[in-house]
Amino acid sequence: MDSIFLLSNSHSHLCLSVKASASASAPLPPPEPPNSSDLRRPKSLKPTTSSINKIPSKNPLKNLLKTTTVPSPPPNNQSLSLFTKLRLSSKLSPPPPPPLLQEEDNETPNSETSCCSKDIEFRQEGKIFVGNLPNWIKKHEVGEFFRQFGPIQNVILIKGHNSTEKNVGFGFVIYDGSTAEKSAMKAVEFDGVEFHGRVLTVKLDDGKRLKSKTRERARWVEGVDEEQFRSKWHQDRERDRRDFKKVVETQPENWQAVVTSFDRIKKPSRREFGLMVNYYARRGDMHRARQTFENMRARGIEPTSHVYTNLIHAYAVGRDMEEALSCVRKMKEEGIKMSLVTYSIIVGGFAKICNAEAADHWFEEAKETHGTLNAIIYGNIIYAHCQTSNMDRAEALVREMEEEGIDAPIDIYHTMMDGYTMFGNEEKCLIVFERLKECGFTPSVISYGCLINLYTKIGKVSKALEVSRRMESAGIKHNMKTYSMLINGFIKLKDWANAFAVFEDVVKDGLKPDVVLYNNIIRAFCGMGNMDRAIHIVKEMQKERHRPTTRTFMPIIHGFARAGEMKRSLEIFDMMRMGGCIPTVHTFNALILGLVEKRQMEKAVEILDEMSLAGISPNEHTYTTIMHGYASLGDIGKAFEYFATLRNEGLELDVYTYEALLKACCKSGRMQSALAVTKEMSAQKIPRNNFVYNILIDGWARRGDVWEAADLMQQMKQEGVQPDIHTYTSFINACCKAGDMQLLQFILIRINAFFFFFFFFQRATKTIKEMGVIGVKPNVKTYTTLIHGWARASLPEKALRCFEEMKRAGLKPDKAVYHCLMTSLLSRAAVAEAYIYSGALSICTEMIESGLAVDMGTAVHWSRCLRKIERTGGELTEALQKTFPPDWNAYHSLDAKADTDRDDEPDINSDDDLYISGGTGDDGDFKHRLLY
């Protein structure tokens, strides 16, 4: 009886046959198995001739550590015939023949032998692997180098996934012909050769790449554990998709990380493209959003309503509603239905550009299409009307929303409060705030911020501080916006100390100042004239890694230009450029505005040439500033010249441009030209505001024409323009000057002249009372104008009474008030009652306590008046001389030259007092518009 065993190792197979003894009754014991881990018993016991005759050419046992069984020679025909006769023994203990060796090999594909056979099968003759290639290398260059070893069939360079124009650094060369294998062996010998600065890796192709692809394809077809098989490519893609979504949600401010994670995704789907378009939309980057959208369509992915909505959102945030509407038309052409979110975004986009009419149109279309609306679209349409100051329509929409059963969220309350803040309507803003609390909402920092913004805009900073304390007591901390509002409020009041105190509170609270807050502090330092400290703040910003903007440098440039230090102003201009800030037209406007305020018009015009060299075209603000400069000088010709230039270049003509023309006309006394300008404004449908009326009333006041000034006051009331303090001051000045002119006309009829004075000053006093009725409080300039009028009328007792009333109103007299009043009292003290003398003495004492000193011309004039009052000197002379300039004693005679004998009364109707300070103000809309 033969026993057959199968021994296998990593190189070959061995078939052993053991011959049984002749005695059938004593079967041969089974041989001892070899002590090796590579031995394996076959599953099938049926012998086959092919497996028995299969003998390896080499010794298969040379790698076995311990073998005790001696292999027998292969069985011959005799043993086979004997084996067939042993029927009973073969039935009782059948030998385990290895007939199915080939089948076993097929059933164990993971064995080394099967792998070896398949490696040979996958490997392609004549194919070599070439690694460490330069990324820029081309096929023909690789082919020319390796053609020296034999003819080449093909060169394969593996391209990068992200950039298909570059290689990933490796490839394959396939040789052709009968000598392909020999050529490949020669090429392998050049492993490590230098090629274009790279040390190449050259080796025979092992078929690993093709083998892995085949196995991957097989796994894909068969599946694993009856589940859908996902290849490594799909697993990596799914991981990259998850990472991209995570980065978008957790790091939206890190633009580079978001873009990198998106580019890492292999074949992004519609979902990833939609997320990327939405990400660009939130940033307002409509160009990249459009590019991503087009890349999606180029890959054959059709957009849905959601993707189109994201793209429309990008254009809405970028305020390009024309392109947004073009996307809407494309949606309708493709038959994609607009959702309520799409309508809401369009309405919100038109709200941002203050186009309430278009917002209403799309709001009504959304109502017709969807029927039922939500609070979001209502909030957008309400915001649109609040931005256009149509609060009646906003209130109606709130009522309509509530009637529809839609509860208003807290954002709508904030929108209404912000709308009333723009109007300065304190009462209704407080009503909305109280209603917010009644409806169960807890006021947030935004709620209190709306109130702080309201009070800082209307100049009630003390109430803004009170709201701030209430907010802190409620456990709500300030943020950067509320602190910035408070600082802005103090800057408008020129209260620099409190502005810096708020800045210190920011640091104490542990908040890091942002660029906006730093810009406000720089404005404060520039406003108080501390330019060096402002520059120090800029350097501190750079240390904190905050990049200064053009708004950072403009107050400094403007401050130096206004002070006449053009050299330092240009140094800051160069510092801005070195910091990476590109000069804009607004930067040049700051330079021009500073020069205009110093009346240096020649240097201001030179800036226009520098703008041309920099490739920056002047805008309407630039020309308007220069027109205002020439208007302040009364040069009407130059003002109209630049007006013509502005019109010829097709720039926008607004109310500020016509204000400059009117200012030039009134300054030069050409009131008929001013009337012509007002007619052109009406033709251009540009309404006249209180600034325009102030200029016209001041112009007629210069001529003493109180009747024209009174007509303008009536027109203001008819057109619904509210007169302000500057309007009333100009009208009072017209009344005073009209009295003075009438005195010259009726010099021979003194009694009639006196009653004429009394009539006009009664009208001026009536105007003061009218101001109190409408809530407009007189300021120092108003009282100065009235005192000046009484002084010209030679009624010092009236002037003194007006002075006392000003102090009772809580106003602090300035140098101009003391000048007018003292001149009036000294001129009449010699012939008036005793209380005029005592009044002059008390005013002189106030001047000494305030540290006021007059100029030499005023001192000479007052000394002459004193000689008439106290010929030998006296108490008044001794006190008044303390206000004279320090070099007064250098004069040996009180009779100065004729050029110093002048009435040096201040021109309270000058441009700086009434127009720049009154019409627009140091921080008025005009200057703010020019700078920003």
Side-chain angles (χ1 to χ4, degrees), residues 703-704 706-707 734-750 752-760:
R703 299 180 59 173
V706 69
W707 308 113
C735 295
C736 296
K737 283 201 171 184
D740 190 27
M741 292 177 64
Q742 196 65 27
L743 174 63
L744 295 175
Q745 184 177 357
F746 297 100
I747 191 65
L748 298 177
I749 314 173
R750 297 181 181 273
N752 292 341
F754 174 76
F755 282 116
F756 194 75
F757 277 125
F758 188 74
F759 168 74
F760 282 107

Side-chain angles (χ1 to χ4, degrees), residues 780-781 783-785 787-788 791 796 799-800 802-804 806-807 811-827 839-855 858-859 861-862 876 880 883-884 903-906 908:
V780 176
K781 290 184 175 62
Y783 283 106
T784 305
T785 304
I787 292 171
H788 183 68
L800 188 60
C802 187
F803 177 75
E804 295 297 332
M806 180 184 70
K807 290 194 295 182
L811 299 175
K812 184 178 179 181
D814 58 4
K815 187 176 180 179
V817 176
Y818 284 119
H819 191 289
C820 293
L821 186 58
M822 184 59 72
T823 302
S824 174
L825 295 177
L826 291 177
S827 65
L841 187 61
S842 65
I843 291 173
C844 183
T845 304
E846 290 184 17
M847 292 178 66
I848 295 171
E849 292 176 355
S850 301
L852 296 177
V854 298
D855 54 48
T858 304
H861 177 70
W862 285 359
L876 182 60
L880 195 58
T883 64
F884 289 0
D903 183 9
D904 194 21
E905 297 178 3
I908 62 171

Side-chain angles (χ1 to χ4, degrees), residues 132 134 136 193-200:
N132 201 27
W136 48 266
V193 70
E194 185 175 352
F195 179 68
H196 288 284
R198 296 286 190 95
V199 178
L200 296 183

Side-chain angles (χ1 to χ4, degrees), residues 719-730:
E719 294 181 7
V721 180
Q722 182 68 33
D724 56 10
I725 180 61
H726 312 293
T727 311
Y728 286 110
T729 302
S730 297

Side-chain angles (χ1 to χ4, degrees), residues 511 655 916:
L511 297 176
V655 65
I916 292 183

